[in-house]
Amino acid sequence: MTSSLPSRLLGRVVSMSTVDRMNFSRVFQDCSALNAGKQAHARMILSGFIPTPYVTNCLIHMYIRCSDLVRAAAVFDVMPERDTVSWNAMIFGYAASGDMLTAESFFEMMPRRDVVSWNSMMSGYMKNGSFRDAVMTFARMRNVGVTCDSAGLAIVLKACSSTENVIVGVQIHALAVRMGFLHDVVAASALVDLYGKCKRLRLCHQLFHELQEKNWVSWSAVIAACVQNDDFVGGAELFKEMLRAGCEVSQSIYASVFRACAALSAVSLGSQFQGHSLKTNFGTDVIVGTATLDMYAKCDNLSAATKCFTHLPHRSLQSYNAIIVSCARNSRGLEAMQLFLNLRRTALKFDDITLSGAFRACAVIKGLSEGLQLHGLAVKSTFASDVCVTNAMLDMYGKCGALSQAQHVFDDMVRRDAVSWNSIIAAHEQNDFAEQTLILFVLMLRSAMEPDEFTYGSVLKACAGGQIGTEIHGRIIKAGMGFDSFVGSALVDMYSKCGKLEDAQKLHDRIEGETIMAWNAIISGFSTIKQSEDAQKLFSKMLEMGVKPDNFTYATVLDTCANLATGELGKQIHAQIIKQELQADAYIASTLVDMYSKCGDMHDSEILFEKAPKRDLVTWNAMICGYTHHGPAKMALEIFERMKIENVRPNQTTFISILRACAHMGLVDKGFHYFLSMSKEYNLEPQMEHYACMVDIMGRCGRVSEAYNFVNEMPFAADDVIWRTLLSVCKMHGNVEVAEMAV
C-alpha cells in the first residue's frame, strides 16, 4: 500500500512555520501502512513539535492498527502525561493480539477506568474464548459502580450466547429492561442472538418483532436462530420478509439461508438465493461462496458445488473443507484426495475437518497406503488426539481391512465417544469378525457408553441368529428403539438372514412408515433363501404403497428374475431403471448383465457389459458364467483373457466357470493350465468344486484312468459329487474297471 496521502500531508506540516497539531493527528489517523506511519512519526520528532496527549494517542492507535505493539508500547512509556484514552488503547491492542496477561496488567495499573476500559477487557476475553472471564469482568464492573452501555451489554450477552448460559442471560435481559436498552438495536440484537443460541426460539421471535428499529444485525440474529433451532422454513421466510422490508443483506445472513436450503435439500430455492447473492455483488465473497458450495454439496449436487469452488477468486480453508468432504461423501475419493493435495500446495493450513474428510476419502478408495501417510501427518500436527480425526481414522482402517491398525488407534484414544465405539465395532463387522464385534459391544456396555441406532445396526449384522439375536432384540426394545426405522430394518434383515421370515415379516409390518430400508431388508431376505416369487410379490406391494425403489431394491429384484429366468419381468424392471436414470450405477449394471446372462439372453447381456460404466469382478463373472452355460463356451475364455488384460483379479467363482467352459470344449490341457494357475498366479487354493470340474474335463475326453488317479492325489478326501462325476464318465465310456475301483 502506498503512502501518498501521509506524504502530501507531511509536506504541509514541514512547510508551516507554526506546526498545527491537528495536521499530525490527521496524518496518524489516516495512515494504515506501517512504513508510512514510521516516517510520519520521524518527521514529527524532527520538526521539534511536542505532541499533546491527543496527538500521541493517535500515534499509539496508528501503531496498534499496524500490529506493531512494540512501538506502541515505546510511545506509551515515554508519554509525560497519559489519559484514559492512552491506557484504553494499550489494553485494546494487547487484547486484540491475544495477549490477555499484558492487557490485564495495564488494566490493573490504570489510575482511572471508564466504560471503554471495561468493554475492551470483556471484548478481549470474548475474542480469546474466555467467556466466563468476560461475564465475571462485567459483574466486577457493576460492583464498582461503573454504568454499562449498550456495547458492554452486547459483549456480555454474546459471552452468554457462546456458552448457552441462559440463566445469566435472563439476568442481563432484566438489566437491559431497567436501563432502557431494549430499544437499542445493538443490545436488542444481542438478546435475539442469545435466545436463539439458547434454544428459546419463541422469546427470540417476540423480542425481534418488538424491535422498533431493525438492521441487518438483528435480521441476521433472528434468521440464524431459526436455522440453529431447525426451523429452516421459518428462516427462509424471514429472509424473504427482510428483502421486502428493504434491509441490506450480509455475509452471515446468506450463510444462514444457504444452510437452511441444505437442511431442506431445497436445491432449487438455494439456486434462487445464489442468483440473489450474485445481483447484490456477493458473488466473489469467499464466505458466501463457501456457504453456496456447501449447500449444493449437501443437496448432492456435486457438479454445482465443484463449479462454485472453481469460480471462487479466493479460496479459504472452509471452502476447501466443504468440497473435500462433499467429494468424500459422494464416493469421489480420488477427487477428494487430489483437492487435499492442492490445499497442501497453498499457504493455507489444514484443520480437523480437513483431515477427517481426507481420511473418509481414503476409506472410499480403500487407499491404505494414503491413509497411513495421512496418519503420519496427523501425528506430526496437533490433531492426532482430536476425537473427530481419530474416529475418521478408525473408519478408514476398518474399510481398508487393517483391523490391527484400527484396534491400535482405538486402544490409544484418550477420550472415546459413541462414534469411536461405533467405528471399531463396524470395522470388525465389515471384515466378518462377528465374534469380536459382539465382544466389543459388551465392552461398550461395560464402559457405560449407551449404544445408539448405528451400534445396533452393526451388531445385528454380526448376529448369526438364535439366542444372541433375540437377546439383542430384547435390549433394543428396552432402550425404546424397537420402532426406529433404521434399527427396525436391521432387525428385519437379521431375522431374514436367519431364515425366520415370519418374524421378519411381522417386524416389517410394524415399522412406522415402512421405509425403503425395511422393504429392502424383507425383499432381500426372501431372495436370499431363494423364495424369489414371494420377493417379487413384496416388490409389487411396495410399489402399490407408493414407496420409491432405490438401486439396492432394483438389484435384488433383478436377482430374483435371474433365479426364476423371468426375462420379461427383468426387461420391465430394466425399463424402470432407465426412467429413474440409475443405469449408470455400477451395482445395477453388473446385476443387469447377470440377469440377462442367466436368462440366456447373451446378446443383451453383452451390450450391457460393453456399456457398463465400471466393470467390477461381479460383472466379469456374470459374462463368463453366461457364456459357459449358454455358449459359445470359447467366448467365456476370451472374456477371461480380456479380464486379465484389464488387471481384474479373478476369484474362486471365476475359475469354476472357466473350468466348466473347458469341459464343454474338451480342452484338457488348457483346463490343467487354468487349474494350476489358481495357486501359482493368484494364490487361490482350489476347492472341491474345482477338482470336480477337472474330473469332468478329463472324463469327457476319455481320460478316465487319469481322472481316477487325479481324485486319489487330491489333498483332501473326495466328496459324493466327485465320485458321482467319476462314475458318470465311467458309464459314458464303458470303463467298468475304474468304476469298480471308484465304488
Side-chain angles (χ1 to χ4, degrees):
M1 186 172 182
T2 62
S3 55
S4 57
L5 178 58
S7 296
R8 289 198 303 270
L9 290 169
L10 282 168
R12 289 176 54 202
V13 171
V14 176
S15 64
M16 294 174 62
S17 56
T18 305
V19 181
D20 186 351
R21 69 181 180 87
M22 293 303 294
N23 286 326
F24 278 116
S25 62
R26 171 76 184 281
V27 170
F28 297 139
Q29 288 170 351
D30 289 343
C31 187
S32 57
L34 180 59
N35 285 336
K38 286 159 63 178
Q39 291 176 28
H41 187 184
R43 293 279 184 92
M44 183 182 76
I45 295 171
L46 292 172
S47 70
F49 173 66
I50 300 174
T52 63
Y54 173 75
V55 174
T56 309
N57 288 339
C58 290
L59 178 59
I60 291 172
H61 276 293
M62 184 274 294
Y63 278 126
I64 291 171
R65 195 164 55 248
C66 295
S67 303
D68 193 339
L69 285 172
V70 174
R71 284 187 170 83
V75 172
F76 178 85
D77 289 341
V78 298
M79 284 183 74
E81 183 183 349
R82 301 166 186 151
D83 58 14
T84 305
V85 177
S86 314
W87 288 94
N88 286 345
M90 296 306 298
I91 292 169
F92 172 80
Y94 282 110
S97 69
D99 187 357
M100 287 306 298
L101 286 175
T102 307
E104 286 169 358
S105 67
F106 272 87
F107 181 76
E108 296 301 333
M109 288 189 294
M110 280 185 77
R112 290 181 302 279
R113 305 184 189 104
D114 62 6
V115 68
V116 176
S117 316
W118 293 95
N119 287 353
S120 295
M121 287 300 295
M122 287 190 290
S123 180
Y125 286 128
M126 268 295 304
K127 289 176 182 176
N128 289 279
S130 302
F131 308 118
R132 185 176 180 276
D133 288 333
V135 175
M136 295 302 293
T137 301
F138 179 80
R140 182 182 167 193
M141 177 183 73
R142 295 283 299 158
N143 289 337
V144 299
V146 177
T147 303
C148 65
D149 59 6
S150 61
L153 278 176
I155 293 168
V156 74
L157 284 168
K158 191 174 180 182
C160 295
S161 300
S162 300
T163 56
E164 296 185 14
N165 191 341
V166 71
I167 296 173
V168 175
V170 168
Q171 296 176 44
I172 305 297
H173 185 176
L175 179 63
V177 172
R178 288 201 303 271
M179 297 183 70
F181 281 129
L182 278 190
H183 299 300
D184 181 274
V185 70
V186 175
S189 297
L191 277 167
V192 170
D193 180 62
L194 165 77
Y195 286 120
K197 285 189 170 68
C198 293
K199 309 294 186 291
R200 303 292 194 278
L201 192 58
R202 185 183 61 78
L203 277 171
C204 177
H205 278 290
Q206 182 181 334
L207 271 169
F208 175 76
H209 290 298
E210 288 175 358
L211 278 175
Q212 294 180 358
E213 178 190 353
K214 299 181 179 75
N215 62 5
W216 70 267
V217 177
S218 46
W219 280 103
S220 177
V222 73
I223 292 171
C226 288
V227 176
Q228 289 158 4
N229 289 275
D230 298 337
D231 183 12
F232 306 113
V233 174
E237 290 299 325
L238 278 168
F239 178 72
K240 294 177 182 177
E241 185 182 333
M242 182 196 76
L243 295 180
R244 288 193 293 270
C247 182
E248 61 179 313
V249 192
S250 68
Q251 294 171 325
S252 56
I253 294 173
Y254 277 125
S256 293
V257 294
F258 281 127
R259 184 181 164 196
C261 293
L264 295 168
S265 294
V267 68
S268 178
L269 181 62
S271 181
Q272 293 178 45
F273 288 153
Q274 183 192 14
H276 187 274
S277 70
L278 294 173
K279 288 180 181 177
T280 50
N281 297 321
F282 277 95
T284 57
D285 184 90
V286 67
I287 294 175
V288 176
T290 301
T292 308
L293 81 85
D294 186 59
M295 178 273 297
Y296 280 124
K298 288 176 179 172
C299 291
D300 292 328
N301 191 339
L302 187 56
S303 60
T306 305
K307 188 176 180 181
C308 285
F309 179 79
T310 305
H311 287 87
L312 277 176
H314 304 288
R315 294 164 188 164
S316 65
L317 175 60
Q318 288 69 33
S319 56
Y320 268 103
N321 284 349
I323 195 67
I324 289 170
V325 170
S326 174
C327 287
R329 190 171 53 238
N330 286 274
S331 302
R332 306 274 278 271
L334 287 174
E335 291 180 35
M337 288 305 298
Q338 186 58 56
L339 285 161
F340 177 75
L341 292 174
N342 293 345
L343 169 65
R344 295 285 289 146
R345 295 188 189 104
T346 69
L348 297 170
K349 296 181 180 180
F350 57 85
D351 62 7
D352 55 333
I353 299 172
T354 324
L355 281 175
S356 299
F359 277 120
R360 290 191 182 97
C362 292
V364 169
I365 63 174
K366 293 185 169 50
L368 180 58
S369 175
E370 293 85 350
L372 288 166
Q373 293 178 56
L374 270 179
H375 190 167
L377 185 64
V379 170
K380 289 178 182 178
S381 71
T382 58
F383 301 108
S385 58
D386 183 274
V387 69
C388 294
V389 174
T390 47
N391 287 342
M393 201 184 297
L394 278 173
D395 181 62
M396 180 275 295
Y397 280 129
K399 286 186 168 64
C400 291
L403 284 183
S404 60
Q405 286 95 331
Q407 191 66 55
H408 182 72
V409 170
F410 182 77
D411 292 339
D412 286 346
M413 289 182 74
V414 177
R415 184 172 72 88
R416 298 169 185 154
D417 58 10
V419 179
S420 313
W421 282 100
N422 287 347
S423 298
I424 194 67
I425 288 170
H428 284 82
E429 183 277 319
Q430 288 160 2
N431 289 277
D432 299 325
F433 285 87
E435 185 178 350
Q436 187 62 25
T437 301
L438 296 173
I439 290 171
L440 283 164
F441 175 66
V442 173
L443 292 174
M444 179 182 183
L445 295 175
R446 288 177 181 172
S447 71
M449 186 69 68
E450 199 63 33
D452 59 17
E453 62 270 25
F454 299 106
T455 320
Y456 286 118
S458 295
V459 172
L460 287 169
K461 288 179 184 177
C463 291
Q467 192 64 29
I468 298 174
T470 305
E471 287 178 10
I472 291 175
H473 189 179
R475 179 173 284 277
I476 288 169
I477 292 170
K478 288 180 182 178
M481 296 185 191
F483 296 103
D484 180 88
S485 61
F486 181 79
V487 177
S489 300
L491 282 165
V492 170
D493 182 62
M494 186 268 292
Y495 280 117
S496 298
K497 287 176 179 174
C498 295
K500 298 182 177 181
L501 288 175
E502 187 178 343
D503 292 334
Q505 186 76 61
K506 287 178 182 177
L507 275 169
H508 173 262
D509 294 339
R510 290 176 188 170
I511 293 174
E512 187 177 349
E514 294 185 338
T515 63
I516 186 61
M517 289 185 294
W519 280 106
N520 285 346
I522 193 69
I523 292 171
S524 176
F526 278 98
S527 176
T528 302
I529 62 170
K530 304 303 178 186
Q531 292 190 22
S532 300
E533 290 184 3
D534 291 327
Q536 290 178 357
K537 287 177 183 176
L538 283 166
F539 176 68
S540 299
K541 184 180 177 183
M542 183 188 86
L543 294 177
E544 289 171 6
M545 293 183 66
V547 180
K548 186 179 178 181
D550 62 8
N551 54 352
F552 183 83
T553 322
Y554 283 124
T556 305
V557 177
L558 284 170
D559 195 46
T560 66
C561 295
N563 293 336
L564 297 172
T566 50
E568 287 304 315
L569 178 59
K571 287 181 179 179
Q572 293 177 40
I573 303 296
H574 188 181
Q576 289 296 317
I577 288 168
I578 293 171
K579 286 181 181 178
Q580 299 293 331
E581 297 182 350
L582 293 172
Q583 67 270 28
D585 183 274
Y587 185 44
I588 285 182
S590 63
T591 312
L592 280 167
V593 171
D594 183 60
M595 184 273 294
Y596 278 116
S597 67
K598 285 180 178 174
C599 292
D601 189 347
M602 294 308 299
H603 175 71
D604 285 343
S605 182
E606 185 177 355
I607 290 173
L608 286 165
F609 175 79
E610 297 298 342
K611 289 183 177 179
K614 180 184 177 183
R615 301 187 192 107
D616 58 8
L617 180 59
V618 176
T619 315
W620 288 98
N621 281 350
M623 283 302 295
I624 293 169
C625 183
Y627 280 122
T628 297
H629 288 288
H630 302 288
K634 67 175 184 178
M635 287 298 298
L637 302 185
E638 290 181 14
I639 293 291
F640 180 65
E641 294 303 322
R642 279 181 61 187
M643 177 180 169
K644 290 198 294 183
I645 291 170
E646 294 192 23
N647 293 319
V648 179
R649 186 181 176 81
N651 63 2
Q652 305 276 7
T653 304
T654 316
F655 280 103
I656 290 172
S657 297
I658 289 298
L659 294 174
R660 284 176 178 168
C662 291
H664 292 320
M665 299 170 68
L667 302 175
V668 180
D669 293 338
K670 202 150 195 172
F672 264 109
H673 166 74
Y674 287 128
F675 180 80
L676 295 173
S677 71
M678 288 182 67
S679 55
K680 287 183 179 179
E681 295 182 30
Y682 303 105
N683 199 28
L684 295 170
E685 289 300 321
Q687 304 299 308
M688 192 72 76
E689 200 164 357
H690 299 101
Y691 281 96
C693 289
M694 289 307 300
V695 171
D696 186 43
I697 291 172
M698 289 182 280
R700 286 181 184 230
C701 296
R703 295 160 69 168
V704 181
S705 298
E706 286 183 50
Y708 176 72
N709 294 332
F710 182 80
V711 172
N712 287 329
E713 293 171 2
M714 285 171 57
F716 38 75
D719 64 359
D720 293 344
V721 175
I722 289 182
W723 288 118
R724 280 197 299 269
T725 303
L726 185 59
L727 288 172
S728 177
V729 297
C730 287
K731 182 180 179 181
M732 183 189 304
H733 296 285
N735 194 324
V736 179
E737 181 183 352
V738 173
E740 287 177 347
M741 289 189 290
V743 173

